[in-house]
Amino acid sequence: MKNIVVVGSQWGDEGKGKIVDWLSDQADIVVRFQGGHNAGHTLVIDGKIFKLRLLPSGIVRKEKISILGNGVVIDPWALLDEIKDIKKQGVEVTPDNFMISESASLILPFHREMDEIREDAAGKGKIGTTRRGIGPCYEDKVGRRSIRVMDLRSESNLDARLENVLLHHNAIRKGLKKKVYKKKDLKEDLLKIAPKILIFAQPVWLKLDEYKKKKKKILFEGAQGILLDVDHGTYPFVTSSNTVPAMAATGTGCGPNTINYVLGITKAYTTRVGSGPFPTELKDEIGESLGLKGKEFGTVTARKRRCGWFDGVLVRQTIKVAGITGIALTKLDVLDELKEIKMCIQYELNGKKMDYLPASSEEQFNVKPIYRTFPGWQTSTQGVRNMEELPEKAKIYIHALEDFIGAKISSISTSPEREDTILIEDPFNA
């Protein structure tokens, strides 16, 4: 029996939702440990589509407990809307199956506005933020001025905390000639929803310790991908939190010894949303076809994703940074019709070959991919559920990918349907 962390090994959108849902059958607890409602997970269960933004993927499964850890930033209004929407689909969300860390920071209206103001002012230098206030909220958290879930319990404490955070934000807003926020109005709005949020508030670190003692299986669900990590990603074109598996311990309040297996979700090609370097990006018909067949549009934003060949150099790098144990390879079927398939195995920068992505943003934009080419299998792999049924050329590509990145492939996904998965190694019993 093991506790598993599921993370994206690329720039996000690797298909974590399906894999987490698939694993949650065995898990007792599913925990989100970072990010906010900028993450989108699409689940397809018995033909029914669930689109989640903040709620952990385990919420759609009966008798599972879903948790938002202290590392998550929560827009309370967006959360309540999401709970309302998913209840309409017949999913129960109660204090018995869902809890929020009392230490989690809240995204407030001025965070969303600041996100928009900065992005609009950045011009060509824009990061590609989802404009949901995630970054400004994390800034307040680090600046020790954020409003946390626990602050909603006391009107006098909330008053003092709002005084502190508005002193900072209103000064900036005055300088930008934007309207300032009135503490009274904001406090009233927060107190109005406080009871609806506080019914889910718990000391998550303590609850997780109890579950560990009871030998419960815990599944830690990451948002975004490792290449968007604020320390290890393509900075500054990154998210505002640590997306690496180590954050599962920090973002929930359990020790690193809680983590037994790290599963890296890896798309059989590469995609990216928003701005930033992308060495293997395809701006041609192949890139367009990958996007169309793979339905590469954001779950939350509906933004079109940029598409390119599989970047083995980057995935090998994230495997080392993240300590990934096994790989869940997704969207293999999207490559079915291609005559040839390429995989990046090295970069060239200023005439020199490189085996890793440099840290400098300028150099990241200028690296040129060096490819290894494989013949396409040009036959359908959609819905295949065992390795023997895969075309021989697909097996060659898969084994070459596995050898290059230096991590075993534990499963292969051949459609959005949960059951269309080739299981090679069960992470819970590996």
Side-chain angles (χ1 to χ4, degrees):
M1 186 185 74
K2 296 188 175 184
N3 298 323
I4 301 171
V5 180
V6 175
V7 294
S9 72
Q10 295 152 306
W11 277 292
D13 309 309
E14 301 94 349
K16 290 185 292 297
K18 170 189 168 172
I19 302 300
V20 170
D21 173 62
W22 176 62
L23 289 168
S24 66
D25 249 6
Q26 296 182 67
D28 301 300
I29 321 292
V30 183
V31 191
R32 273 278 307 271
F33 57 85
Q34 53 77 219
H37 63 308
N38 54 342
H41 291 167
T42 301
L43 312 181
V44 182
I45 303 169
D46 298 327
K48 198 172 184 179
I49 298 173
F50 298 91
K51 294 194 174 185
L52 305 176
R53 300 179 295 277
L54 193 56
L55 291 170
S57 297
I59 200 71
V60 299
R61 294 283 168 196
K62 290 182 179 179
E63 299 178 3
K64 309 295 178 184
I65 295 172
S66 294
I67 298 175
L68 296 180
N70 55 275
V72 178
V73 288
I74 299 170
D75 182 323
W77 295 277
L79 175 60
L80 292 174
D81 284 343
E82 187 173 348
I83 290 172
K84 184 180 177 182
D85 289 343
I86 204 163
K87 280 184 174 180
K88 290 177 183 175
Q89 291 187 276
V91 176
E92 286 293 315
V93 183
T94 72
D96 292 327
N97 73 339
F98 177 58
M99 67 181 72
I100 304 167
S101 170
E102 60 185 4
S103 302
S105 293
L106 298 177
I107 298 172
L108 301 178
F110 49 76
H111 291 133
R112 294 193 297 270
E113 289 181 23
M114 185 54 64
D115 222 351
E116 292 173 354
I117 290 166
R118 287 176 179 168
E119 202 61 353
D120 290 339
K124 291 183 179 179
K126 62 177 60 177
I127 300 297
T129 170
T130 55
R131 299 169 178 253
R132 280 164 168 74
I134 312 292
C137 183
Y138 273 118
E139 287 178 41
D140 280 349
K141 178 179 178 178
V142 174
R144 300 181 292 265
R145 56 181 172 263
S146 68
I147 307 297
R148 301 197 288 175
V149 172
M150 66 182 73
D151 294 324
L152 300 178
R153 290 194 180 117
S154 164
E155 186 174 344
S156 60
N157 184 56
L158 180 60
D159 195 79
R161 299 300 302 150
L162 283 171
E163 187 83 40
N164 186 45
V165 73
L166 288 177
L167 181 67
H168 172 82
H169 278 274
N170 280 341
I172 296 172
R173 295 180 71 84
K174 284 178 184 176
L176 294 171
K177 295 181 171 55
K178 303 292 181 181
K179 74 174 182 69
V180 297
Y181 269 84
K182 293 179 181 178
K183 182 180 68 174
K184 178 177 174 291
D185 294 342
L186 196 50
K187 186 171 76 169
E188 284 179 3
D189 290 342
L190 284 168
L191 289 174
K192 194 181 297 181
I193 63 165
K196 297 177 183 178
I197 295 294
L198 289 173
I199 59 168
F200 301 114
Q202 294 278 359
V204 160
W205 65 272
L206 185 59
K207 299 299 289 185
L208 285 174
D209 188 60
E210 291 173 11
Y211 296 139
K212 284 161 61 180
K213 287 175 180 174
K214 292 177 182 177
K215 307 295 183 185
K216 298 291 186 183
K217 294 181 182 178
I218 306 170
L219 184 61
F220 296 92
E221 178 183 9
Q224 292 94 30
I226 293 166
L227 290 168
L228 292 176
D229 185 280
V230 71
D231 285 304
H232 301 288
T234 48
Y235 190 92
F237 301 94
V238 292
T239 193
S240 300
S241 61
N242 287 111
T243 61
V244 291
M247 185 63 189
T250 307
T252 60
C254 64
N257 61 342
T258 304
I259 301 165
N260 308 116
Y261 192 105
V262 178
L263 182 65
I265 316 303
T266 306
K267 200 177 284 187
Y269 50 103
T270 311
T271 61
R272 175 164 203 168
V273 173
S275 307
F278 186 168
T280 64
E281 183 174 11
L282 295 169
K283 298 179 180 179
D284 57 12
E285 290 181 6
I286 296 174
E288 283 293 318
S289 68
L290 289 173
L292 287 171
K293 186 165 184 187
K295 295 181 174 61
E296 296 298 350
F297 298 91
T299 301
V300 172
T301 62
R303 288 190 296 178
K304 185 179 179 182
R305 296 174 189 144
R306 300 153 64 191
C307 298
W309 295 121
F310 182 81
D311 194 330
V313 179
L314 275 182
V315 173
R316 185 175 61 185
Q317 186 167 326
T318 60
I319 285 169
K320 295 178 188 299
V321 167
I324 288 172
T325 314
I327 289 292
L329 190 67
T330 64
K331 293 201 171 185
L332 181 71
D333 56 303
V334 175
L335 304 177
D336 285 349
E337 297 171 8
L338 298 174
K339 289 182 181 179
E340 61 177 29
I341 297 163
K342 296 183 180 182
M343 177 172 70
C344 176
I345 57 169
Q346 213 170 24
Y347 297 134
E348 183 181 323
L349 180 65
N350 300 325
K352 294 182 180 179
K353 291 182 179 178
M354 299 188 71
D355 293 321
Y356 66 94
L357 188 71
S360 160
S361 180
E362 182 181 21
E363 291 181 341
Q364 289 173 359
F365 274 110
N366 290 319
V367 295
K368 305 292 184 216
I370 298 171
Y371 291 114
R372 178 181 172 187
T373 302
F374 299 84
W377 42 93
Q378 295 187 285
T379 185
S380 177
T381 61
Q382 187 169 9
V384 172
R385 298 183 184 181
N386 62 71
M387 282 294 285
E388 290 71 30
E389 293 179 20
L390 284 176
E392 200 58 39
K393 289 176 181 177
K395 292 180 191 174
I396 291 169
Y397 177 69
I398 290 164
H399 291 313
L401 185 152
E402 183 178 48
D403 288 342
F404 185 81
I405 62 178
K408 58 191 170 188
I409 292 175
S410 63
S411 65
I412 302 168
S413 174
T414 57
S415 96
E417 290 291 341
R418 183 172 166 272
E419 291 78 12
D420 292 340
T421 304
I422 300 169
L423 180 62
I424 300 165
E425 176 182 82
D426 182 354
F428 274 116
N429 297 295

